[in-house]
Every structure is written in structure tokens, then in C-alpha cells.
Coordinates of all heavy atoms in Angstrom, one line a residue:
M1226 N 0.8 -1.2 0.0 CA 0.0 0.0 0.0 C 0.9 1.2 0.0 O 2.0 1.2 0.6 CB -0.9 -0.1 1.2 CG -1.6 1.3 1.5 SD -3.2 1.2 0.9 CE -3.9 2.4 2.0
I1227 N 0.3 2.2 -0.6 CA 1.1 3.5 -0.6 C 0.8 4.2 0.6 O -0.2 4.7 0.9 CB 0.6 4.3 -1.8 CG1 0.7 3.6 -3.2 CG2 1.5 5.7 -2.0 CD1 -0.1 4.1 -4.3
D1228 N 1.9 4.5 1.4 CA 1.8 5.2 2.7 C 1.9 6.7 2.6 O 1.2 7.4 3.3 CB 2.8 4.7 3.7 CG 2.6 3.1 4.0 OD1 1.5 2.7 4.0 OD2 3.5 2.5 4.1
N1229 N 2.9 7.3 1.9 CA 3.0 8.7 1.8 C 3.1 9.0 0.4 O 4.0 8.8 -0.3 CB 4.3 8.9 2.6 CG 4.4 10.5 2.6 OD1 4.1 11.3 1.7 ND2 5.0 11.0 3.7
L1230 N 2.0 9.7 -0.1 CA 1.9 10.0 -1.5 C 3.0 10.9 -2.0 O 3.5 10.6 -3.0 CB 0.4 10.6 -1.7 CG 0.2 10.9 -3.2 CD1 0.2 9.6 -4.1 CD2 -1.1 11.6 -3.3
Q1231 N 3.2 12.1 -1.3 CA 4.2 13.0 -1.8 C 5.6 12.3 -1.9 O 6.3 12.6 -2.8 CB 4.3 14.1 -0.9 CG 3.0 15.0 -0.8 CD 2.6 15.6 -2.2 OE1 3.5 15.8 -3.1 NE2 1.3 16.1 -2.3
E1232 N 5.9 11.6 -0.8 CA 7.2 10.9 -0.8 C 7.3 9.9 -1.9 O 8.3 9.7 -2.6 CB 7.4 10.3 0.5 CG 8.8 9.8 0.7 CD 8.9 9.2 2.1 OE1 8.6 9.8 3.1 OE2 9.4 8.0 2.2
S1233 N 6.3 9.2 -2.1 CA 6.2 8.2 -3.3 C 6.4 8.8 -4.6 O 7.3 8.3 -5.5 CB 5.0 7.4 -3.2 OG 4.8 6.6 -2.1
L1234 N 5.7 9.9 -4.8 CA 5.8 10.6 -6.1 C 7.2 11.1 -6.3 O 7.7 11.2 -7.4 CB 4.7 11.6 -6.3 CG 3.4 11.0 -6.6 CD1 2.3 12.2 -6.6 CD2 3.3 10.2 -7.8
S1235 N 7.8 11.6 -5.3 CA 9.1 12.3 -5.3 C 10.3 11.3 -5.6 O 11.3 11.7 -6.2 CB 9.5 13.0 -4.0 OG 9.8 12.1 -3.0
T1236 N 10.0 10.0 -5.5 CA 11.1 9.0 -5.8 C 11.1 8.6 -7.3 O 12.1 8.0 -7.7 CB 10.9 7.7 -4.9 OG1 9.6 7.1 -5.3 CG2 10.9 7.9 -3.5
L1237 N 10.1 9.1 -8.0 CA 9.9 8.7 -9.4 C 10.7 9.6 -10.3 O 10.9 10.8 -10.0 CB 8.5 8.7 -9.9 CG 7.5 8.0 -9.1 CD1 6.0 8.1 -9.6 CD2 7.9 6.4 -9.1
S1238 N 11.3 9.0 -11.3 CA 12.1 9.8 -12.3 C 11.1 10.5 -13.1 O 9.9 10.4 -13.2 CB 13.0 8.8 -13.2 OG 12.1 8.1 -14.1
R1239 N 11.6 11.6 -13.9 CA 10.9 12.3 -14.9 C 10.1 11.4 -15.7 O 8.9 11.7 -16.0 CB 11.7 13.3 -15.5 CG 10.9 14.3 -16.5 CD 11.9 15.2 -17.3 NE 12.9 14.4 -18.1 CZ 12.6 14.0 -19.3 NH1 11.4 14.0 -19.7 NH2 13.6 13.3 -20.0
R1240 N 10.7 10.5 -16.4 CA 10.1 9.6 -17.4 C 9.0 8.8 -16.7 O 8.1 8.5 -17.4 CB 11.1 8.7 -18.1 CG 12.1 9.6 -18.8 CD 11.4 10.1 -20.2 NE 11.5 9.2 -21.3 CZ 10.9 9.3 -22.4 NH1 10.4 10.6 -22.7 NH2 11.0 8.4 -23.4
E1241 N 9.2 8.3 -15.6 CA 8.3 7.5 -14.8 C 6.9 8.3 -14.5 O 5.8 7.9 -14.8 CB 8.8 7.0 -13.5 CG 9.8 5.8 -13.7 CD 10.6 5.5 -12.5 OE1 10.7 6.3 -11.6 OE2 11.2 4.4 -12.5
R1242 N 7.2 9.6 -14.1 CA 6.1 10.6 -13.9 C 5.4 10.8 -15.2 O 4.2 10.9 -15.3 CB 6.6 11.8 -13.3 CG 7.0 11.6 -11.8 CD 7.5 12.9 -11.3 NE 6.5 13.9 -11.2 CZ 5.6 14.2 -10.2 NH1 5.7 13.4 -9.1 NH2 4.8 15.1 -10.2
E1243 N 6.1 10.9 -16.4 CA 5.5 11.1 -17.7 C 4.7 9.9 -18.0 O 3.5 10.2 -18.6 CB 6.6 11.3 -18.7 CG 6.1 11.8 -20.0 CD 7.2 12.0 -21.1 OE1 8.4 12.2 -20.6 OE2 6.9 12.1 -22.2
V1244 N 5.0 8.7 -17.8 CA 4.3 7.5 -18.1 C 3.0 7.6 -17.2 O 2.0 7.3 -17.7 CB 5.0 6.2 -17.7 CG1 4.1 5.1 -17.8 CG2 6.1 6.1 -18.8
L1245 N 3.1 7.9 -16.0 CA 2.0 8.0 -15.1 C 1.0 9.1 -15.6 O -0.3 8.8 -15.5 CB 2.3 8.4 -13.6 CG 2.7 7.2 -12.8 CD1 3.1 7.8 -11.4 CD2 1.6 6.2 -12.7
V1246 N 1.4 10.2 -16.1 CA 0.5 11.3 -16.6 C -0.2 10.7 -17.8 O -1.4 10.8 -17.9 CB 1.4 12.5 -17.0 CG1 0.4 13.5 -17.8 CG2 1.8 13.2 -15.6
H1247 N 0.5 10.0 -18.7 CA -0.2 9.5 -19.9 C -1.2 8.4 -19.4 O -2.3 8.3 -20.1 CB 0.8 8.8 -20.8 CG 1.6 9.8 -21.6 ND1 1.1 10.7 -22.5 CD2 3.0 10.0 -21.7 CE1 2.0 11.5 -23.0 NE2 3.2 11.0 -22.5
L1248 N -0.8 7.6 -18.4 CA -1.8 6.7 -17.9 C -3.1 7.3 -17.3 O -4.2 6.9 -17.6 CB -1.1 5.8 -16.8 CG -1.9 4.5 -16.4 CD1 -1.9 3.5 -17.5 CD2 -1.1 4.0 -15.2
A1249 N -2.9 8.5 -16.7 CA -4.1 9.2 -16.1 C -5.0 9.7 -17.1 O -6.2 9.8 -16.9 CB -3.5 10.3 -15.2
E1250 N -4.3 10.1 -18.3 CA -5.2 10.6 -19.4 C -5.9 9.3 -20.2 O -6.5 9.7 -21.1 CB -4.2 11.3 -20.4 CG -3.6 12.5 -19.8 CD -2.6 13.1 -20.8 OE1 -2.0 12.4 -21.7 OE2 -2.1 14.2 -20.5
G1251 N -5.7 8.2 -19.7 CA -6.5 7.1 -20.1 C -5.8 6.4 -21.4 O -6.4 5.6 -22.1
H1252 N -4.6 6.6 -21.6 CA -4.0 5.9 -22.7 C -3.5 4.6 -22.4 O -3.2 4.2 -21.3 CB -2.6 6.8 -23.2 CG -3.0 8.1 -23.6 ND1 -3.7 8.4 -24.7 CD2 -2.6 9.4 -23.1 CE1 -3.8 9.8 -24.8 NE2 -3.2 10.4 -23.8
T1253 N -3.5 3.7 -23.5 CA -3.0 2.3 -23.2 C -1.5 2.2 -23.1 O -0.9 3.2 -23.6 CB -3.5 1.4 -24.4 OG1 -3.0 1.9 -25.6 CG2 -5.1 1.5 -24.5
Y1254 N -0.9 1.2 -22.9 CA 0.5 0.9 -22.8 C 1.0 1.2 -24.3 O 2.0 1.9 -24.4 CB 0.8 -0.5 -22.5 CG 0.8 -0.8 -20.9 CD1 -0.1 -0.2 -20.2 CD2 1.6 -1.8 -20.5 CE1 -0.1 -0.6 -18.8 CE2 1.6 -2.1 -19.2 CZ 0.8 -1.5 -18.3 OH 0.7 -1.8 -17.0
C1255 N 0.3 0.7 -25.3 CA 0.7 0.8 -26.7 C 0.7 2.3 -27.0 O 1.6 2.9 -27.7 CB -0.2 0.1 -27.6 SG 0.4 0.1 -29.3
K1256 N -0.2 3.0 -26.7 CA -0.3 4.6 -27.0 C 0.6 5.4 -26.3 O 1.3 6.3 -26.9 CB -1.8 5.1 -26.7 CG -1.9 6.4 -27.1 CD -3.2 6.6 -28.1 CE -3.2 7.9 -28.5 NZ -4.4 8.2 -29.3
I1257 N 0.9 4.9 -25.0 CA 1.9 5.6 -24.2 C 3.3 5.4 -24.9 O 4.2 6.3 -25.1 CB 2.0 5.1 -22.7 CG1 0.7 5.5 -22.0 CG2 3.2 5.7 -22.1 CD1 0.6 4.8 -20.6
A1258 N 3.5 4.2 -25.3 CA 4.9 3.8 -26.0 C 5.0 4.7 -27.3 O 6.1 5.2 -27.5 CB 4.9 2.4 -26.3
R1259 N 3.9 4.8 -28.1 CA 4.1 5.5 -29.4 C 4.3 7.0 -29.1 O 5.1 7.7 -29.6 CB 2.8 5.4 -30.1 CG 2.8 4.2 -31.1 CD 1.7 4.2 -32.0 NE 0.5 3.3 -31.3 CZ -0.6 3.6 -31.3 NH1 -1.1 4.6 -32.0 NH2 -1.5 2.8 -30.6
R1260 N 3.6 7.7 -28.1 CA 3.6 9.0 -27.7 C 5.1 9.3 -27.2 O 5.6 10.4 -27.4 CB 2.6 9.4 -26.6 CG 1.3 9.5 -27.3 CD 0.3 9.9 -26.2 NE -0.9 10.4 -26.9 CZ -1.4 11.5 -26.7 NH1 -0.9 12.3 -25.8 NH2 -2.5 12.0 -27.3
M1261 N 5.7 8.4 -26.4 CA 7.1 8.6 -25.8 C 8.2 8.1 -26.7 O 9.4 8.3 -26.2 CB 7.1 8.0 -24.4 CG 6.1 8.7 -23.5 SD 6.1 8.0 -21.9 CE 7.7 8.3 -21.2
G1262 N 7.9 7.5 -27.7 CA 8.9 6.9 -28.6 C 9.6 5.8 -27.9 O 10.8 5.5 -28.1
L1263 N 8.9 4.8 -27.2 CA 9.4 3.8 -26.5 C 8.7 2.5 -27.1 O 7.9 2.5 -27.9 CB 9.1 3.8 -25.1 CG 9.6 5.2 -24.3 CD1 9.0 5.1 -22.9 CD2 11.1 5.1 -24.3
S1264 N 9.2 1.4 -26.6 CA 8.5 0.0 -26.9 C 7.6 -0.2 -25.7 O 7.6 0.4 -24.6 CB 9.6 -1.1 -26.9 OG 10.0 -1.4 -25.6
V1265 N 6.6 -1.0 -26.0 CA 5.5 -1.4 -25.0 C 6.3 -2.1 -23.9 O 5.9 -1.8 -22.7 CB 4.5 -2.2 -25.7 CG1 3.5 -2.8 -24.7 CG2 3.8 -1.5 -26.9
H1266 N 7.4 -2.8 -24.1 CA 8.0 -3.5 -23.0 C 8.7 -2.5 -22.1 O 8.6 -2.6 -20.9 CB 9.0 -4.4 -23.7 CG 10.0 -5.0 -22.6 ND1 9.3 -6.1 -21.9 CD2 11.2 -4.8 -22.4 CE1 10.5 -6.4 -21.1 NE2 11.5 -5.7 -21.2
T1267 N 9.1 -1.3 -22.7 CA 9.8 -0.3 -21.8 C 8.8 0.3 -20.9 O 9.0 0.7 -19.8 CB 10.5 0.8 -22.7 OG1 11.5 0.0 -23.5 CG2 11.2 1.7 -21.8
V1268 N 7.6 0.6 -21.5 CA 6.5 1.2 -20.7 C 6.1 0.3 -19.5 O 6.0 0.8 -18.5 CB 5.3 1.5 -21.6 CG1 4.0 2.0 -20.9 CG2 5.5 2.6 -22.6
D1269 N 6.0 -1.0 -19.9 CA 5.7 -2.0 -18.8 C 6.8 -1.9 -17.8 O 6.5 -2.1 -16.6 CB 5.6 -3.4 -19.5 CG 5.2 -4.4 -18.5 OD1 4.1 -4.3 -17.8 OD2 5.9 -5.4 -18.2
T1270 N 8.1 -1.9 -18.2 CA 9.1 -1.8 -17.2 C 9.0 -0.6 -16.3 O 9.3 -0.7 -15.1 CB 10.5 -1.9 -17.9 OG1 10.6 -3.1 -18.7 CG2 11.7 -1.7 -17.1
Y1271 N 8.7 0.5 -16.9 CA 8.6 1.8 -16.2 C 7.5 1.6 -15.0 O 7.6 1.9 -13.9 CB 8.2 3.0 -17.0 CG 9.4 3.7 -17.7 CD1 9.4 4.0 -19.0 CD2 10.6 4.1 -16.9 CE1 10.5 4.6 -19.7 CE2 11.5 4.8 -17.5 CZ 11.5 5.1 -18.8 OH 12.5 5.8 -19.5
L1272 N 6.4 1.0 -15.4 CA 5.3 0.7 -14.7 C 5.7 -0.2 -13.5 O 5.2 0.0 -12.3 CB 4.0 0.3 -15.3 CG 3.4 1.6 -16.2 CD1 2.4 1.0 -17.1 CD2 2.8 2.6 -15.2
R1273 N 6.5 -1.2 -13.7 CA 6.9 -2.2 -12.8 C 7.8 -1.4 -11.8 O 7.7 -1.6 -10.5 CB 7.7 -3.3 -13.4 CG 6.8 -4.3 -14.1 CD 7.7 -5.4 -14.7 NE 6.8 -6.1 -15.7 CZ 7.0 -7.3 -15.9 NH1 7.7 -8.0 -15.2 NH2 6.3 -7.9 -17.0
R1274 N 8.7 -0.5 -12.3 CA 9.6 0.2 -11.4 C 8.7 1.1 -10.5 O 9.0 1.4 -9.2 CB 10.5 1.0 -12.1 CG 11.6 0.1 -12.8 CD 12.6 0.9 -13.6 NE 13.5 0.1 -14.3 CZ 14.3 0.4 -15.3 NH1 14.3 1.7 -15.7 NH2 15.1 -0.4 -15.9
I1275 N 7.7 1.8 -11.1 CA 6.9 2.7 -10.4 C 6.2 2.0 -9.2 O 6.1 2.4 -8.0 CB 5.7 3.4 -11.2 CG1 6.5 4.3 -12.2 CG2 4.7 4.0 -10.5 CD1 5.6 4.7 -13.3
R1276 N 5.7 0.7 -9.5 CA 5.0 -0.1 -8.5 C 6.0 -0.4 -7.4 O 5.7 -0.4 -6.1 CB 4.4 -1.3 -9.2 CG 3.2 -1.2 -9.9 CD 2.6 -2.5 -10.5 NE 1.5 -2.4 -11.2 CZ 1.5 -2.5 -12.5 NH1 2.6 -2.7 -13.2 NH2 0.3 -2.2 -13.2
G1277 N 7.2 -0.8 -7.8 CA 8.2 -1.1 -6.8 C 8.6 0.0 -5.9 O 8.8 -0.1 -4.7
K1278 N 8.7 1.3 -6.4 CA 9.2 2.5 -5.7 C 8.1 2.9 -4.8 O 8.3 3.4 -3.7 CB 9.6 3.5 -6.7 CG 10.9 3.3 -7.4 CD 11.2 4.5 -8.3 CE 12.4 4.3 -9.0 NZ 12.8 5.5 -9.8
T1279 N 6.8 2.8 -5.3 CA 5.8 3.3 -4.4 C 4.9 2.4 -3.6 O 4.2 2.8 -2.7 CB 4.7 4.1 -5.5 OG1 4.1 3.0 -6.2 CG2 5.4 5.1 -6.4
G1280 N 5.1 1.1 -4.0 CA 4.2 0.2 -3.1 C 2.9 0.0 -3.7 O 2.1 -0.7 -3.1
A1281 N 2.6 0.5 -4.8 CA 1.3 0.4 -5.4 C 1.1 -1.1 -5.7 O 1.9 -1.7 -6.5 CB 1.2 1.2 -6.7
T1282 N 0.0 -1.8 -5.2 CA -0.1 -3.2 -5.4 C -1.3 -3.5 -6.3 O -1.5 -4.6 -6.8 CB -0.5 -3.7 -4.1 OG1 -1.5 -3.2 -3.3 CG2 0.8 -3.7 -3.2
T1283 N -2.1 -2.6 -6.6 CA -3.2 -2.8 -7.5 C -3.4 -1.8 -8.5 O -2.7 -0.7 -8.4 CB -4.6 -2.8 -6.6 OG1 -4.9 -1.3 -6.1 CG2 -4.7 -3.6 -5.5
R1284 N -4.2 -2.1 -9.6 CA -4.4 -1.2 -10.8 C -5.0 0.2 -10.2 O -4.8 1.3 -10.7 CB -5.2 -1.7 -11.7 CG -4.4 -2.8 -12.6 CD -5.2 -3.6 -13.5 NE -5.4 -3.0 -14.9 CZ -4.5 -2.8 -15.7 NH1 -3.3 -2.9 -15.5 NH2 -4.9 -2.2 -16.9
M1285 N -5.8 0.0 -9.2 CA -6.5 1.2 -8.6 C -5.4 2.1 -7.9 O -5.5 3.3 -8.1 CB -7.5 0.8 -7.7 CG -8.3 1.9 -7.1 SD -9.3 2.7 -8.4 CE -10.8 2.1 -7.9
H1286 N -4.5 1.6 -7.2 CA -3.4 2.4 -6.7 C -2.7 3.1 -7.7 O -2.3 4.4 -7.5 CB -2.5 1.5 -5.8 CG -3.0 1.1 -4.5 ND1 -2.6 0.0 -3.9 CD2 -4.0 1.6 -3.7 CE1 -3.3 -0.3 -2.8 NE2 -4.0 0.8 -2.5
L1287 N -2.4 2.3 -8.7 CA -1.6 2.9 -9.9 C -2.3 4.1 -10.5 O -1.8 5.1 -10.9 CB -1.2 1.9 -10.8 CG 0.0 2.1 -11.8 CD1 1.1 2.5 -11.2 CD2 0.1 0.9 -12.7
A1288 N -3.6 3.9 -10.8 CA -4.5 4.8 -11.4 C -4.5 6.1 -10.4 O -4.5 7.3 -11.0 CB -5.9 4.3 -11.6
F1289 N -4.7 5.9 -9.2 CA -4.6 7.1 -8.2 C -3.4 7.8 -8.3 O -3.4 9.1 -8.4 CB -4.9 6.5 -6.8 CG -5.0 7.6 -5.8 CD1 -6.1 8.4 -5.8 CD2 -3.9 8.0 -5.0 CE1 -6.2 9.6 -4.8 CE2 -4.0 9.1 -4.1 CZ -5.1 9.8 -3.9
L1290 N -2.2 7.1 -8.3 CA -0.9 7.8 -8.4 C -0.8 8.6 -9.7 O -0.4 9.6 -9.8 CB 0.2 6.7 -8.5 CG 0.8 6.3 -7.2 CD1 1.9 5.2 -7.4 CD2 1.5 7.5 -6.5
A1291 N -1.3 8.0 -10.8 CA -1.3 8.6 -12.2 C -2.2 9.9 -12.1 O -1.7 10.9 -12.6 CB -2.0 7.7 -13.2
M1292 N -3.2 9.8 -11.4 CA -4.1 11.2 -11.4 C -3.4 12.2 -10.5 O -3.4 13.4 -10.9 CB -5.4 10.8 -10.7 CG -6.4 10.0 -11.7 SD -8.1 9.8 -11.0 CE -7.7 8.7 -9.5
C1293 N -2.7 11.8 -9.6 CA -2.0 12.7 -8.6 C -0.8 13.2 -9.4 O -0.5 14.5 -9.3 CB -1.6 12.1 -7.4 SG -2.9 11.7 -6.3
A1294 N 0.0 12.4 -10.2 CA 1.0 12.9 -10.8 C 0.6 13.9 -12.1 O 1.3 14.9 -12.3 CB 1.8 11.7 -11.5
A1295 N -0.6 13.6 -12.7 CA -1.1 14.5 -13.7 C -1.4 15.9 -13.2 O -1.4 16.9 -13.8 CB -2.3 13.9 -14.3
Q1296 N -1.9 15.9 -11.9 CA -2.4 17.2 -11.3 C -1.2 18.0 -11.0 O -1.3 19.3 -10.7 CB -3.1 17.0 -9.9 CG -4.5 16.4 -10.2 CD -5.2 16.1 -9.0 OE1 -4.7 16.1 -7.9 NE2 -6.5 15.7 -9.1
G1297 N 0.1 17.5 -11.0 CA 1.2 18.3 -10.7 C 1.3 18.9 -9.3 O 1.5 18.2 -8.4
N1298 N 1.2 20.2 -9.2 CA 1.4 20.8 -8.0 C 0.2 21.0 -7.0 O 0.1 21.7 -6.0 CB 2.1 22.3 -8.2 CG 3.4 22.2 -8.7 OD1 4.2 21.1 -8.4 ND2 3.8 23.1 -9.5
S1299 N -1.0 20.5 -7.4 CA -2.1 20.5 -6.7 C -2.0 19.8 -5.3 O -1.3 18.8 -5.2 CB -3.3 19.8 -7.4 OG -3.5 20.4 -8.6
P1300 N -2.5 20.4 -4.3 CA -2.5 19.7 -2.9 C -3.0 18.3 -3.0 O -4.0 17.9 -3.6 CB -3.3 20.6 -2.1 CG -3.9 21.6 -2.9 CD -3.5 21.5 -4.3
A1301 N -2.3 17.4 -2.4 CA -2.7 16.0 -2.4 C -2.8 15.6 -0.9 O -2.1 16.1 0.0 CB -1.7 15.2 -3.1
P1302 N -3.6 14.6 -0.6 CA -3.7 14.0 0.7 C -2.4 13.4 1.1 O -1.6 12.9 0.3 CB -4.8 13.0 0.6 CG -4.8 12.6 -0.8 CD -4.4 13.7 -1.6
A1303 N -2.1 13.3 2.4 CA -0.8 12.7 2.9 C -0.8 11.2 2.8 O 0.3 10.6 2.5 CB -0.7 13.0 4.4
T1304 N -2.0 10.6 2.7 CA -2.0 9.1 2.4 C -3.0 8.8 1.6 O -3.9 9.5 1.3 CB -2.3 8.3 3.9 OG1 -3.6 8.8 4.3 CG2 -1.1 8.6 4.8
V1305 N -2.9 7.6 0.9 CA -3.9 7.0 -0.1 C -4.8 6.1 0.8 O -4.3 5.3 1.4 CB -3.2 6.4 -1.2 CG1 -4.2 5.7 -2.1 CG2 -2.2 7.3 -2.0
P1306 N -6.1 6.2 0.5 CA -7.0 5.3 1.2 C -6.9 3.9 0.6 O -6.4 3.8 -0.5 CB -8.4 5.8 0.8 CG -8.2 6.7 -0.4 CD -6.7 7.1 -0.3
K1307 N -7.3 2.9 1.4 CA -7.2 1.5 0.8 C -8.1 1.3 -0.3 O -9.0 2.1 -0.6 CB -7.7 0.6 2.0 CG -6.9 0.6 3.1 CD -7.3 -0.4 4.2 CE -6.5 -0.3 5.3 NZ -6.2 -1.0 6.3
S1308 N -7.8 0.3 -1.1 CA -8.5 0.2 -2.5 C -10.0 0.2 -2.4 O -10.7 0.8 -3.1 CB -8.1 -1.2 -3.1 OG -6.8 -1.2 -3.4
R1309 N -10.6 -0.5 -1.3 CA -12.0 -0.6 -1.3 C -12.6 0.7 -0.9 O -13.8 0.9 -1.1 CB -12.3 -1.7 -0.2 CG -12.0 -1.3 1.3 CD -12.3 -2.4 2.2 NE -11.9 -1.9 3.7 CZ -10.6 -2.3 4.0 NH1 -9.8 -2.8 3.3 NH2 -10.3 -1.9 5.3
D1310 N -11.9 1.7 -0.3 CA -12.3 2.9 0.1 C -12.1 4.0 -1.0 O -12.6 5.2 -0.9 CB -11.7 3.4 1.3 CG -12.0 2.5 2.5 OD1 -13.0 1.9 2.5 OD2 -11.2 2.4 3.4
L1311 N -11.3 3.7 -2.1 CA -10.8 4.7 -3.0 C -12.0 5.2 -3.8 O -12.1 6.5 -4.0 CB -9.8 4.1 -3.9 CG -9.0 5.1 -4.8 CD1 -8.3 6.1 -3.9 CD2 -7.9 4.2 -5.6
A1312 N -12.9 4.4 -4.3 CA -14.0 4.8 -5.1 C -14.8 5.9 -4.3 O -15.2 6.9 -4.8 CB -14.9 3.7 -5.6
A1313 N -15.2 5.5 -3.0 CA -16.1 6.5 -2.2 C -15.3 7.7 -2.0 O -15.8 8.7 -2.0 CB -16.5 5.7 -1.0
W1314 N -14.0 7.6 -1.6 CA -13.1 8.8 -1.4 C -13.0 9.7 -2.6 O -13.3 10.9 -2.4 CB -11.8 8.3 -1.0 CG -10.9 9.4 -0.5 CD1 -10.8 10.1 0.7 CD2 -9.8 10.1 -1.3 NE1 -9.9 11.0 0.7 CE2 -9.2 11.0 -0.6 CE3 -9.3 9.6 -2.6 CZ2 -8.1 11.7 -1.0 CZ3 -8.3 10.5 -3.0 CH2 -7.7 11.4 -2.2
S1315 N -12.9 9.1 -3.7 CA -12.8 10.0 -4.9 C -14.2 10.7 -5.3 O -14.2 11.7 -5.9 CB -12.3 9.3 -6.2 OG -13.2 8.2 -6.5
D1316 N -15.2 10.1 -4.9 CA -16.6 10.7 -5.1 C -16.8 12.0 -4.3 O -17.7 12.7 -4.7 CB -17.7 9.7 -4.8 CG -17.7 8.5 -5.9 OD1 -17.2 8.6 -7.0 OD2 -18.4 7.5 -5.5
T1317 N -16.0 12.1 -3.2 CA -16.1 13.4 -2.6 C -15.5 14.6 -3.2 O -15.7 15.7 -2.7 CB -15.4 13.2 -1.1 OG1 -14.0 13.2 -1.4 CG2 -15.9 12.0 -0.4
G1318 N -15.0 14.4 -4.4 CA -14.5 15.5 -5.2 C -13.0 15.9 -4.8 O -12.5 16.8 -5.2
T1319 N -12.4 15.0 -3.9 CA -11.1 15.3 -3.4 C -10.0 15.2 -4.6 O -9.0 15.8 -4.7 CB -10.6 14.4 -2.2 OG1 -11.7 14.6 -1.3 CG2 -9.3 14.9 -1.7
V1320 N -10.2 14.2 -5.5 CA -9.4 13.9 -6.5 C -9.7 14.7 -7.7 O -10.7 14.9 -8.1 CB -9.4 12.4 -6.9 CG1 -8.5 12.2 -8.0 CG2 -9.0 11.7 -5.7

């Protein structure tokens, strides 16, 4: 689970954050690869590294990270809610 959002995002490289932003925009691995001039395998590798650095264990955690990375300097909560609470939490308009 992702314990500290700001700290987790700060460990990512510029390219890893770029992949997350494309993911937040709803692009597939293939489309991200084309936009960044990479192979699909490299995009997958970036996402594996992101999961390793941040502790994201589910696609929902990864999607949440992607949305936060896409927001850039917007204020973010200190912690990420558990997967089962994420949908209800995002309905409050916080994300």
C-alpha cells in the first residue's frame, strides 16, 4: 500500500512520472509507447519500477498515483485510502 503520497511521487524519475501522466489521461500501454517513442515493453518496465518504488499493489493504486502525478502541484492528501475505500473517497471531489 502507498503510505505517503508525496514521498512516493518524489522517488519517481521524470520519465516514470511522464508515463503516469499518460496513464491518467487514459492511454493504453501501446499509445503511451508511441507518444514517448518507446517500446511497449519499456512502458511496462517503467510501470513495474513505479510499483516497486511506490508500493502500489493494485491497478487502482496505480491509477490514483497517475491522477495525482497528472495534477502536478495540486495539493494532495498525505496518504492514499485503501482500495476498497478509494471509489467512495474520490466521489467526494477530493481527486
Side-chain angles (χ1 to χ4, degrees):
M1226 168 99 154
I1227 306 162
D1228 295 321
N1229 185 321
L1230 183 61
Q1231 296 296 341
E1232 187 177 313
S1233 294
L1234 287 174
S1235 71
T1236 64
L1237 302 180
S1238 71
R1239 181 184 59 80
R1240 294 291 272 181
E1241 289 167 340
R1242 289 177 63 91
E1243 188 177 345
V1244 167
L1245 275 180
V1246 170
H1247 287 300
L1248 194 66
E1250 292 171 349
H1252 300 296
T1253 63
Y1254 284 27
C1255 186
K1256 184 122 182 183
I1257 294 169
R1259 273 187 269 141
R1260 286 176 164 241
M1261 294 180 67
L1263 305 170
S1264 72
V1265 175
H1266 177 74
T1267 303
V1268 171
D1269 183 59
T1270 298
Y1271 276 130
L1272 289 167
R1273 286 179 201 220
R1274 288 180 186 165
I1275 291 166
R1276 286 184 184 105
K1278 288 179 178 182
T1279 64
T1282 56
T1283 66
R1284 289 175 79 66
M1285 187 65 107
H1286 285 152
L1287 197 56
F1289 182 79
L1290 269 177
M1292 289 186 297
C1293 291
Q1296 288 178 352
N1298 295 328
S1299 298
T1304 60
V1305 175
K1307 295 184 184 196
S1308 296
R1309 66 181 179 275
D1310 300 329
L1311 193 55
W1314 182 77
S1315 64
D1316 288 341
T1317 64
T1319 308
V1320 177

